[in-house]
C-alpha cells in the first residue's frame, strides 16, 4: 500500500504538469517524469496525453530498468541528504519515485523498508523487505531487518523465524545471535536465550550488551552469582555502560566484592561521572552506597530519590490505587461461569501478588520440575515496560474465543511436543484479568503469594522501577496499593475457591516441598518430589531497612 503524498495537481494545471514532465525527460530525470504522469492519471484516470506519455516512457526505458537495476550514485545522494536533514518522509517519497524506474532495485527496497520502519509504517516496511527477498532470497541482512520490523508488531515467534533464517545464511554476525536471544528472552525462553547470547559472544567476545542481558536473565532465574559475573564483564568491556552498572549495584546488600564496586564508582564520582537525570542518578547512587554505607544513610538516600520521583507522578499514583479498587468491585459483582472444557493437556498456573512479594521464588521452585515451562512475566500483553490494550478490552470483542495463544507466545501444541504439562506466569497485572482467564482458558489456577506487609512495602520503596509502579515512591501509597491488591484477590478466592491457593513467602522459603505438594493437590498434578530431590530451604529474614520505613508512615 503506497503512502499518501501531495499531488502536484493541487497546485498546477494538467498542461503545466505535462510540460514539466517533458522538461524532466530532456534533463534525463525519467523517474520524475514518470511520477508526474502518474500524478495526473491518479486524479484523471482517462487523460490520454498523460497515459500516452507514460506508455512511451515505460517502453523506452524498460531495457534501462532491466539492465541497470539500481539507481546511480547521484540519485541516491539526494536521498541521503534528505535523510541527514531529518526529512524522512521526503526521503521515502523520493525512493518511491525511483522505484518506478528501478522496479527491481534491491537498494531501493532496502531503503524504503528502513525509512518506512523509522516513520512507523511497519506493515509497509515489512512489504518492502518481502519484495527484496523475492529478488534475493539469500539476503541475510534483509531477513534481519524484516525480523526487526515484525518484532515491532509484537509477532515474536515470526521475528524469531526470520532471525533464524538470517543466521542460517550468515552465522558469523553477532548481532543476529544477540537479537535471537532478545526475542527468546521476551518470549520467556530464558535458557535458550542464554545459549544465543553465548553464541553472540563467541563471534564477538567484547559484546557488552550480550553479557548484560545474560546477567538480567540469570537474575530472573535466581542465579545471583552468575548475574554479577556477567554485569562485571559487561562493565570491563564498556566502562561507561550505565545499564550494566545499574543492574550490578541492584544486587542484594553485601553481595558485591571490591572489584565490582570499583567498576561502578567512576560513573558516580569524578571526571567520568555519568550525565543522568537527577532522579535516575539519586537511585543509582543510593543502590551503590547500599553496599558501602550504614543502613540509615542508605535509607536516607532512597527516601530523597523517592521524594523527587513522587513529585513528578502524583496523578499516576492515585490512578493505580483506584484501579485496584475498581477491580475489587468488579470481582464482587462477578458470578463465575463454569470454566470452559476442552482437551487441554496443559495446566496453567498464574502466580499473583504485588511486585517483590516472592512470586519468582515460587516459580523457581516449581520449574525445578522438568515438565514445567516458566513464562515468567512475559506474555503478549507486555511490551517494553508498558501494557498493550488489556485482556479485558480484548475479551469485550471476543469473549467467547479467548485462547491460550492470545496470552502467550507458545501454543499448547508446542508445549506438548516438548513434553511440558504445566506453565507458570508471574505477571502481577494479570490479576486484573482473572475473570477472563478463568472463564476462557481451561485448567487455569491462581496462586496468591503473601508477604509480611512492612517487609514487602520496604522492598518496593527501595526498588528503582524503570516503568510503571508509580505507587512505589510514596510510603502511604505503597501500603494502600498492597491492601487494595490483596483485597481484590481475597474476593477472587471467595468466588472460585477450588481454583485459588494462598501461600506465604515464609512457607515458600522454609517449607518449599509442602508448598509444591499443595500446588499439586490444587492442580491435580504429581510433581514427583521425592526424598532425593527436596528443594533447598532458606530461613526468611526480615528486611533490614524496615524500621526506617515504618518511621515514614
Amino acid at each position: 500500500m503506497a503512502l499518501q503524498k501531495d499531488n502536484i495537481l493541487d497546485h498546477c494545471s494538467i498542461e503545466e504538469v505535462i510540460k514539466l514532465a517533458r522538461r524532466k525527460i530532456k534533463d534525463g530525470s525519467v523517474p520524475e517524469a514518470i511520477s508526474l504522469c502518474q500524478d495526473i492519471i491518479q486524479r484523471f484516470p482517462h487523460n490520454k496525453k498523460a497515459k500516452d506519455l507514460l506508455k512511451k516512457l515505460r517502453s523506452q526505458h524498460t531495457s534501462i530498468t532491466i539492465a541497470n537495476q539500481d539507481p546511480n550514485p547521484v540519485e541516491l545522494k539526494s536521498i541521503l541528504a534528505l535523510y541527514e536533514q531529518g526529512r524522512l518522509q521526503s526521503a521515502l517519497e523520493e525512493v518511491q519515485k525511483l522505484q518506478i524506474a528501478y522496479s527491481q532495485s534491491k537498494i531501493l527496497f532496502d531503503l524504503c523498508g528502513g525509512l518506512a520502519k523509522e516513520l512507523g509504517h511497519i506493515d509497509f516496511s515489512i512489504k518492502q523487505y518481502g519484495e527484496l527477498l523475492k529478488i534475493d532470497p539469500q539476503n541475510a541482512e534483509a531477513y534481519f531487518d524484516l525480523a526487526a520490523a515484525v518484532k515491532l508488531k509484537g509477532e515474536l515467534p515470526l521475528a524469531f523465524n526470520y532471525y533464524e533464517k538470517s543466521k542460517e545464511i550468515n552465522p558469523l554476525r553477532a548481532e543476529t545471535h544477540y537479537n535471537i536471544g532478545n526475542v527468546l528472552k521476551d518470549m520467556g525462553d530464558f535458557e535458550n536465550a542464554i545459549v544465543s547470547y553465548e553464541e553472540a559472544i563467541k563471534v564477538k567476545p567484547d559484546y557488552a550488551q550480550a553479557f548484560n542481558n545474560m546477567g538480567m536473565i540469570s537474575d530472573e532465574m535466581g542465579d545471583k552469582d552468575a548475574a554479577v559475573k556477567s554485569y562485571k564483564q559487561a562493565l570491563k568491556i564498556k566502562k561507561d555502560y550505565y545499564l550494566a552498572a545499574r543492574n550490578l549495584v541492584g544486587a542484594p546488600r553485601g553481595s558485591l566484592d571490591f572489584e565490582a564496586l570499583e567498576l561502578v564508582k567512576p560513573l558516580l564520582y569524578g571526571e567520568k561521572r555519568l550525565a543522568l537525570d537527577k532522579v535516575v542518578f539519586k537511585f543509582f547512587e543510593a543502590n551503590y552506597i547500599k553496599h558501602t554505607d550504614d543502613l540509615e544513610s542508605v535509607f536516607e538516600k532512597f527516601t530523597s530519590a523517592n521524594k523527587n520521583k513522587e513529585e513528578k507522578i502524583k496523578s499516576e499514583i492515585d490512578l493505580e490505587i483506584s484501579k485496584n479498587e475498581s477491580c475489587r468491585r468488579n470481582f464482587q459483582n462477578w458470578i463465575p461461569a463454569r470454566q470452559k472444557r476442552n482437551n487441554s493437556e496443559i495446566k496453567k498456573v498464574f502466580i499473583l501478588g504485588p511486585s517483590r512479594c516472592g512470586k519468582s521464588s515460587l516459580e523457581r521452585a516449581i520449574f525445578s520440575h522438568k515438565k514445567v515451562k516458566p513464562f515468567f512475566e512475559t506474555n503478549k500483553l507486555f511490551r517494553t515496560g508498558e501494557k498493550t490494550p488489556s485482556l479485558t478490552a480484548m475479551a469485550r470483542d471476543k469473549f467467547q474465543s479467548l485462547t491460550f495463544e492470545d496470552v502467550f507466545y507458545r501454543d499448547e501444541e508446542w508445549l506438548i511436543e516438548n513434553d511440558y504439562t504445566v506453565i507458570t506466569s508471574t505477571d502481577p497485572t494479570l490479576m486484573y484479568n482473572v475473570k477472563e482467564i478463568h472463564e476462557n482458558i481451561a485448567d487455569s489456577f491462581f496462586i496468591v503469594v503473601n508477604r509480611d506487609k512492612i517487609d514487602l512495602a520496604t522492598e518496593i520503596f527501595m526498588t528503582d522501577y524503570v516503568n510503571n509502579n508509580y505507587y512505589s515512591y510514596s510510603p502511604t501509597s505503597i501500603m494502600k496499593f498492597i491492601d487494595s491488591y490483596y483485597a481484590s484477590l481475597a474476593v477472587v478466592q471467595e468466588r472460585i475457591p477450588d481454583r485459588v491457593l494462598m501461600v506465604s513467602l515464609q512457607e515458600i522459603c522454609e517449607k518449599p516441598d509442602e508448598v509444591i505438594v499443595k500446588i499439586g493437590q490444587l492442580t491435580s498434578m504429581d510433581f514427583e518430589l521425592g526424598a532425593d530431590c527436596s528443594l533447598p530451604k532458606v530461613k526468611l529474614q526480615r528486611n533490614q531497612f524496615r524500621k526506617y520505613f515504618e518511621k515514614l508512615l
Side-chain angles (χ1 to χ4, degrees):
M1 179 177 72
L3 299 174
Q4 293 295 318
K5 58 181 188 293
D6 290 339
N7 191 305
I8 193 172
L9 289 169
D10 293 334
H11 316 288
C12 304
S13 68
I14 294 176
E15 287 301 321
E16 288 174 328
V17 176
I18 291 286
K19 288 179 182 179
L20 178 59
R22 296 188 189 283
R23 284 202 300 273
K24 293 292 183 182
I25 295 169
K26 288 181 181 180
D27 295 339
S29 301
V30 176
E32 291 186 46
I34 292 174
S35 180
L36 290 168
C37 291
Q38 288 185 321
D39 280 346
I40 296 172
I41 295 168
Q42 180 185 359
R43 186 69 61 85
F44 303 99
H46 303 295
N47 186 275
K48 190 173 185 305
K49 285 185 178 180
K51 291 173 72 175
D52 288 346
L53 182 56
L54 181 61
K55 183 177 179 181
K56 180 180 178 181
L57 285 169
R58 282 178 168 166
S59 63
Q60 287 178 349
H61 293 278
T62 297
S63 59
I64 297 174
T65 299
I66 294 172
N68 182 17
Q69 293 184 347
D70 290 321
N72 62 57
V74 174
E75 291 169 309
L76 292 174
K77 187 176 180 180
S78 64
I79 295 170
L80 179 61
L82 289 170
Y83 180 83
E84 289 176 343
Q85 293 167 18
R87 297 168 61 189
L88 303 188
Q89 184 63 43
S90 297
L92 179 58
E93 290 171 5
E94 290 303 311
V95 171
Q96 289 180 283
K97 287 179 183 178
L98 288 175
Q99 282 183 313
I100 297 167
Y102 304 100
S103 62
Q104 299 297 302
S105 170
K106 292 188 287 186
I107 290 176
L108 292 180
F109 279 125
D110 185 49
L111 282 172
C112 205
L115 287 165
K117 185 168 64 177
E118 284 198 53
L119 286 164
H121 306 306
I122 307 304
D123 288 331
F124 186 68
S125 174
I126 289 169
K127 181 179 178 181
Q128 295 300 303
Y129 290 128
E131 293 297 322
L132 170 53
L133 286 164
K134 288 179 184 177
I135 302 168
D136 184 6
Q138 292 300 303
N139 190 319
E141 185 71 22
Y143 274 113
F144 183 94
D145 291 334
L146 178 58
V150 166
K151 186 185 176 188
L152 288 172
K153 293 189 69 177
E155 298 177 10
L156 298 187
L158 188 56
F160 171 78
N161 290 339
Y162 288 140
Y163 278 129
E164 280 286 307
K165 186 66 178 177
S166 180
K167 184 184 75 172
E168 289 173 17
I169 299 168
N170 179 16
L172 298 179
R173 183 178 182 183
E175 290 80 5
T176 305
H177 295 285
Y178 173 73
N179 278 282
I180 290 172
N182 288 343
V183 170
L184 289 168
K185 177 170 71 71
D186 290 345
M187 290 170 63
D189 192 347
F190 286 1
E191 291 180 355
N192 284 318
I194 286 179
V195 172
S196 291
Y197 291 137
E198 288 172 341
E199 290 296 322
I201 290 165
K202 283 181 184 177
V203 178
K204 185 180 178 183
D206 62 347
Y207 209 151
Q209 291 87 345
F211 278 109
N212 179 62
N213 285 15
M214 281 177 62
M216 292 171 68
I217 289 178
S218 297
D219 247 339
E220 187 71 28
M221 296 180 73
D223 191 344
K224 301 299 182 183
D225 290 340
V228 167
K229 182 178 179 181
S230 293
Y231 296 143
K232 285 170 65 174
Q233 188 59 36
L235 274 171
K236 288 176 183 177
I237 294 167
K238 189 178 179 182
K239 299 187 183 303
D240 61 347
Y241 194 1
Y242 166 67
L243 288 179
R246 175 184 180 275
N247 291 335
L248 183 58
V249 296
R253 178 180 170 90
S255 62
L256 299 186
D257 58 17
F258 177 78
E259 181 186 35
L261 294 171
E262 286 298 299
L263 285 168
V264 176
K265 189 176 181 179
L267 307 186
L268 284 160
Y269 311 110
E271 295 179 359
K272 296 182 179 179
R273 168 177 167 162
L274 294 176
L276 300 171
D277 171 84
K278 179 181 178 181
V279 175
V280 172
F281 183 85
K282 282 194 171 186
F283 272 108
F284 184 29
E285 184 180 30
N287 272 300
Y288 175 79
I289 69 166
K290 175 179 70 181
H291 302 278
T292 61
D293 287 15
D294 63 275
L295 297 181
E296 188 170 3
S297 298
V298 172
F299 194 78
E300 285 176 0
K301 281 285 184 183
F302 276 106
T303 301
S304 175
N306 276 294
K307 281 183 178 178
N308 285 133
K309 184 72 174 182
E310 183 187 359
E311 291 170 1
K312 294 184 176 182
I313 45 103
K314 284 183 179 178
S315 59
E316 286 88 347
I317 293 174
D318 293 337
L319 185 63
E320 285 190 324
I321 295 170
S322 66
K323 184 178 178 182
N324 285 355
E325 291 295 335
S326 175
C327 184
R328 181 180 58 81
R329 289 192 295 270
N330 193 17
F331 287 148
Q332 286 176 330
N333 296 325
W334 176 32
I335 301 175
R338 180 173 294 181
Q339 194 175 61
K340 284 191 171 183
R341 300 294 177 189
N342 60 19
N343 296 322
S344 172
E345 298 178 37
I346 305 296
K347 307 283 187 180
K348 299 90 180 176
V349 177
F350 295 88
I351 306 172
L352 301 175
S355 170
R356 319 306 295 181
C357 72
K359 299 186 301 295
S360 296
S361 297
L362 178 56
E363 186 169 45
R364 285 192 288 270
I366 296 175
F367 76 65
S368 61
H369 189 284
K370 63 182 179 180
K371 290 186 177 293
V372 176
K373 172 61 182 172
F375 281 120
F376 305 96
E377 290 194 10
T378 59
N379 56 65
K380 288 183 179 178
L381 310 178
F382 194 64
R383 296 280 185 282
T384 323
E386 62 178 280
K387 301 293 171 187
T388 60
S390 72
L391 187 53
T392 303
M394 291 170 57
R396 289 192 195 105
D397 296 328
K398 54 176 194 174
F399 188 87
Q400 299 301 323
S401 61
L402 187 71
T403 66
F404 179 84
E405 289 75 25
D406 290 325
V407 183
F408 296 105
Y409 290 104
R410 297 294 192 186
D411 57 33
E412 294 199 43
E413 184 178 347
W414 181 89
L415 292 163
I416 293 167
E417 287 175 357
N418 286 273
D419 203 29
Y420 292 114
T421 56
V422 180
I423 68 97
T424 59
S425 170
T426 55
D427 183 350
T429 65
L430 288 180
M431 185 268 285
Y432 304 112
N433 307 113
V434 166
K435 286 172 55 178
E436 289 74 27
I437 292 170
H438 172 73
E439 295 184 354
N440 288 276
I441 301 178
D443 290 316
S444 292
F445 301 88
F446 306 95
I447 302 175
V448 180
V449 179
N450 286 289
R451 183 178 181 182
D452 176 90
K453 190 161 69 171
I454 298 298
D455 279 346
L456 172 56
T458 303
E459 188 152 347
I460 290 173
F461 187 70
M462 297 183 69
T463 298
D464 178 16
Y465 293 100
V466 177
N467 294 290
N468 302 323
N469 299 98
Y470 299 114
Y471 63 90
S472 66
Y473 304 102
S474 162
T476 54
S477 296
I478 293 172
M479 301 300 280
K480 288 180 182 178
F481 183 90
I482 293 171
D483 286 340
S484 58
Y485 189 102
Y486 281 124
S488 295
L489 289 174
V491 178
V492 171
Q493 187 181 35
E494 292 175 3
R495 295 293 182 268
I496 48 172
D498 61 328
R499 295 283 164 169
V500 178
L501 173 67
M502 297 276 189
V503 298
S504 69
L505 179 58
Q506 186 168 354
E507 289 178 280
I508 295 167
C509 293
E510 299 177 7
K511 301 176 181 179
D513 294 352
E514 293 180 19
V515 171
I516 296 300
V517 169
K518 288 181 182 179
I519 294 171
Q521 292 169 346
L522 175 73
T523 60
S524 300
M525 283 289 300
D526 182 4
F527 286 94
E528 302 168 3
L529 285 175
D532 58 339
C533 59
S534 293
L535 295 167
K537 299 176 179 62
V538 180
K539 180 68 175 175
L540 182 62
Q541 302 294 325
R542 291 291 194 189
N543 190 299
Q544 55 194 332
F545 294 98
R546 62 178 283 142
K547 70 177 183 179
Y548 303 108
F549 179 83
E550 286 183 288
K551 292 178 181 178
L552 299 178
L553 296 175

